Amino acid sequence: MQPDMIYAMGPKAYVLLPARVLAIMQSFVVGDEGQREAGGILIGSHRGDHIEIKDCTVPLRSDVRKRFLFDRKDRGHQKAAMTAWNSSGGTETFVGEWHSHPEDYPRPSSLDRSTWRDITMRENRKVIFMIVGRKELWAGWGKTGVIEPIYPVI
Ligand SMILES: [Zn+2]
């Protein structure tokens, strides 16, 4: 098992990504699953300036999965966020989204960036974005239309 990952959003704010959640995302870039993009939302909690990711959703029936496109259409993702919110007593919620790219070192497309900007304009807190590739994970955070890459500190 890989270690948990910590990403820095500037000097004093961190994102915790548990190895378990990373492994779930990575399972969608290998074998048959890797033939089409996959994705879901990241569920976790805001702790001051920090974000602790606790879980992620995976592709559901009504999502659109193509070779170079994932469109999160299924309402089950939002439902999972609501369930987490209710069962955690209002601490766990949507903190971001992830999808896969069929490439070793993924980079956000212009469509990714415009979709993400829209999401940050709807949320009034930081949002985490991740793209899992075959060899590397791209991660970033955004707020009010601005997306910045983030890097692991350990
Ligand atoms: Zn993409």
Side-chain angles (χ1 to χ4, degrees):
M1 193 94 171
Q2 316 166 72
D4 295 344
M5 304 287 289
I6 296 174
Y7 291 81
M9 297 181 287
K12 282 184 186 167
Y14 299 99
V15 179
L16 176 67
L17 174 64
R20 187 183 62 80
V21 177
L22 177 59
I24 293 170
M25 296 189 288
Q26 286 175 331
S27 72
F28 288 95
V29 289
V30 293
D32 282 351
E33 288 291 350
Q35 300 304 305
R36 298 180 301 156
E37 289 193 6
I41 64 168
L42 300 169
I43 291 170
S45 48
H46 290 264
R47 298 170 161 265
D49 287 337
H50 313 298
I51 294 174
E52 183 177 356
I53 297 168
K54 299 268 181 69
D55 208 350
C56 68
T57 61
V58 297
L60 299 170
R61 196 188 185 94
S62 301
D63 293 331
V64 178
R65 294 186 64 184
K66 297 198 169 148
R67 179 79 177 136
F68 295 105
L69 177 80
F70 177 78
D71 195 354
R72 179 160 48 79
K73 291 267 191 214
D74 199 292
R75 289 159 171 256
H77 301 282
Q78 183 59 32
K79 271 189 193 160
M82 286 304 299
T83 301
W85 175 263
N86 291 328
S87 62
S88 67
T91 60
E92 292 182 28
T93 184
F94 169 93
V95 294
E97 65 162 46
W98 73 276
H99 67 283
S100 65
H101 272 191
E103 53 183 342
D104 289 348
Y105 302 98
R107 291 292 174 267
S109 66
S110 53
L111 177 62
D112 290 335
R113 288 184 178 279
S114 69
T115 305
W116 293 346
R117 276 194 294 271
D118 290 347
I119 292 172
T120 66
M121 299 308 283
R122 291 198 299 270
E123 300 282 322
N124 48 19
R125 295 199 279 193
K126 295 171 183 168
V127 185
I128 302 302
F129 302 103
M130 291 182 164
I131 306 174
V132 58
R134 289 185 290 245
K135 291 188 176 165
E136 201 177 77
L137 178 85
W138 188 96
W141 72 283
K143 199 177 174 186
T144 57
V146 181
I147 313 289
E148 300 278 359
I150 53 176
Y151 301 97
V153 292
I154 53 167

